[in-house]
Amino acid sequence: MDTQAYSTWLEVDLGAIKHNINEIKKMTGTKVMAVIKANGYGHGVLEVAKAAAEAGADWCGVARMEEALNLRKSGITSKIMVLGYTPPVLIPEAIRHQIHVAIYDLQMAKAYAAFAKEASKPLKAHLKVETGMGRLGMDMALVPDFLAEYADNEFIDIDGIFTHFASADEPDAAMTNRQLSRFKSLLEDLRKADLCPEMVHAANSAAVLNYPEGYFDMVRPGIAIFGLDPSPESKLPDSFRPALTWKARLTSVRMLPPEHGVSYGSVYVTSKEERIGVIPVGYGDGFRRVPKQQVLLHGKMVDVVGRVCMDQCMLQLDKVPEASPGDEVVLFGEQGGKEITVADLAARWGIVNYEVVCGLADRLPRLYHES
């Protein structure tokens, strides 16, 4: 991989993504919806969508219609579902581009049906059910009558039903078990009344690991396909591989005298003559303005000193006398037998790993390869 033209960049291993999806397929024995919202969790949605299809994922899941339309306009032919809200005015576009939407409200269904009249084919939709997440979903008591009303509707074809788990990544299983019990009871009632849609799905990445009884007809992994743990308490098997590395180029090395301030506000002041380096990475790239961070250089952990700027930050290089401009620095990933993980960065920043990768700026070049 030729990286000489880049000052900072992301390396995305599409082979790891394909491998992880195949691990999930072997684990579950079900269809897979690869959830690739938020620019493929920061990995780059178009290349991730192609890799997911090549790995045998049956569907791609996104949060918004804009994401779905972008995939279609870029040539992605997989089944696509918008898991969140779709503005009614975009329903003709959903039909035109064969995109499934989520329905979770009676008024929403009526609005969608009205806009679907403009198209020559019915809208494809999955009904989302509220089982305990408290976010989006139809009250379970309304579901049977709703499905009966729309069973033969000429404008909306409801061919799936789903829910979402609130706590599948947490050690206490009580909440997820309650949600599963409620959902299964509803499905049983619907089947008895011959009202159950063809496709049933519920399991996110954490449920793929922890709740086989929630697999149903399809699973919806997101974070796991990128080789990242759903939570510190819900770890992926060792067979999964992280797909993302963040690197930068050392752009300056200089000696600063004692009592010299470094970066804005001079919150770091040299205590002696110190060797200070610069990398072209800052909070404008998604590297947060948090103190006491480290990066890898020549296989050694070196400290980030001074405040992180929008586009740059400084390194204390006394441990690495051989460092020189042009050297490769790793912000997360492996170098010289050592590793900084996305989870390490998340812990330092006081957030979850989802936020780290989803917060990586669009301006960061994404370079793709397969291992």
Side-chain angles (χ1 to χ4, degrees):
M1 182 182 299
D2 185 2
T3 63
Q4 293 305 308
Y6 302 101
S7 58
T8 182
W9 66 96
L10 300 170
E11 295 180 3
V12 185
D13 184 351
L14 298 176
I17 291 171
K18 294 177 184 179
H19 168 81
N20 296 335
I21 289 173
N22 279 305
E23 289 295 295
I24 291 167
K25 289 173 65 179
K26 287 190 290 185
M27 189 183 302
T28 64
T30 66
K31 292 182 177 181
V32 171
M33 177 187 289
V35 178
I36 57 173
K37 57 189 178 176
N39 195 24
Y41 286 60
H43 293 65
V45 68
L46 296 180
E47 294 300 327
V48 169
K50 293 174 188 175
E54 290 173 12
D58 304 272
W59 292 69
C60 288
V62 295
R64 299 171 183 167
M65 183 57 68
E66 296 91 333
E67 295 175 304
L69 292 173
N70 179 49
L71 289 173
R72 280 287 183 257
K73 290 172 183 176
S74 300
I76 301 301
T77 59
S78 304
K79 291 182 179 179
I80 299 175
M81 180 170 181
V82 177
L83 296 163
Y85 170 71
T86 296
V89 71
L90 292 179
I91 291 305
E93 286 290 288
I95 296 170
R96 188 173 303 117
H97 292 283
Q98 298 182 316
I99 297 167
H100 278 66
V101 302
I103 288 179
Y104 48 85
D105 180 86
L106 301 176
Q107 292 304 117
M108 168 188 280
K110 290 178 181 178
Y112 285 3
F115 276 94
K117 290 180 183 179
E118 299 178 18
S120 58
K121 295 180 180 179
L123 172 69
K124 294 281 190 178
H126 288 190
L127 176 63
K128 186 166 191 181
V129 179
E130 164 57 34
T131 59
M133 179 71 180
R135 194 169 63 180
L136 301 179
M138 184 173 288
D139 189 299
M140 289 192 297
L142 302 177
V143 169
D145 287 345
F146 174 79
L147 287 174
E149 180 181 351
Y150 280 84
D152 298 309
N153 190 279
E154 62 180 309
F155 302 118
I156 297 180
D157 177 11
I158 300 174
D159 59 356
I161 186 169
F162 70 111
T163 194
H164 189 63
F165 296 127
S167 305
D169 60 343
E170 296 180 4
D172 186 350
M175 179 60 181
T176 306
N177 285 332
R178 281 197 299 272
Q179 286 191 261
L180 267 169
S181 178
R182 291 167 185 162
F183 193 48
K184 286 182 174 180
S185 178
L186 173 64
L187 294 174
E188 184 178 350
D189 291 343
L190 294 176
R191 290 185 179 116
K192 286 178 181 177
D194 197 25
L195 291 172
C196 191
E198 177 184 351
M199 176 73 68
V200 178
H201 50 105
N204 55 7
S205 291
V208 165
L209 300 179
N210 302 323
Y211 295 93
E213 61 271 37
Y215 290 168
F216 300 108
D217 302 307
M218 180 167 67
V219 294
R220 303 191 308 268
I223 198 82
I225 73 174
F226 304 106
L228 301 174
D229 297 326
S231 73
E233 297 79 26
S234 191
K235 300 276 191 184
L236 291 171
D238 291 341
S239 58
F240 282 69
R241 300 181 351 224
L244 193 63
T245 300
W246 188 0
K247 295 181 178 179
R249 197 75 61 195
L250 190 62
T251 56
S252 171
V253 177
R254 61 187 299 193
M255 298 299 297
L256 293 183
E259 300 183 7
H260 195 294
V262 174
S263 193
Y264 290 115
S266 295
V267 294
Y268 181 86
V269 177
T270 56
S271 58
K272 54 182 175 48
E273 188 175 58
E274 295 185 26
R275 206 158 178 261
I276 301 296
V278 180
I279 56 173
V281 171
Y283 59 79
D285 301 295
F287 193 69
R288 296 202 177 183
R289 213 162 172 253
V290 172
K292 298 183 179 178
Q293 303 195 70
Q294 292 185 311
V295 296
L296 284 167
L297 177 59
H298 287 274
K300 297 176 182 176
M301 295 284 188
V302 299
D303 294 334
V304 177
V305 293
R307 286 179 176 151
V308 173
C309 308
M310 183 183 290
D311 312 296
Q312 301 177 82
C313 57
M314 278 57 78
L315 311 179
Q316 215 291 349
L317 299 181
D318 287 354
K319 291 182 185 175
V320 195
E322 68 273 30
S324 61
D327 288 350
E328 195 172 271
V329 177
V330 172
L331 290 95
F332 60 70
E334 295 184 15
Q335 188 189 68
K338 292 192 176 180
E339 182 178 15
I340 297 172
T341 67
V342 174
D344 293 333
L345 218 51
R348 170 61 62 192
W349 293 352
I351 59 175
V352 295
N353 55 1
Y354 297 75
E355 291 181 70
V356 175
V357 291
C358 290
L360 295 170
D362 287 344
R363 73 176 182 173
L364 286 168
R366 283 142 172 94
L367 309 183
Y368 296 95
H369 66 101
E370 291 202 32
S371 65

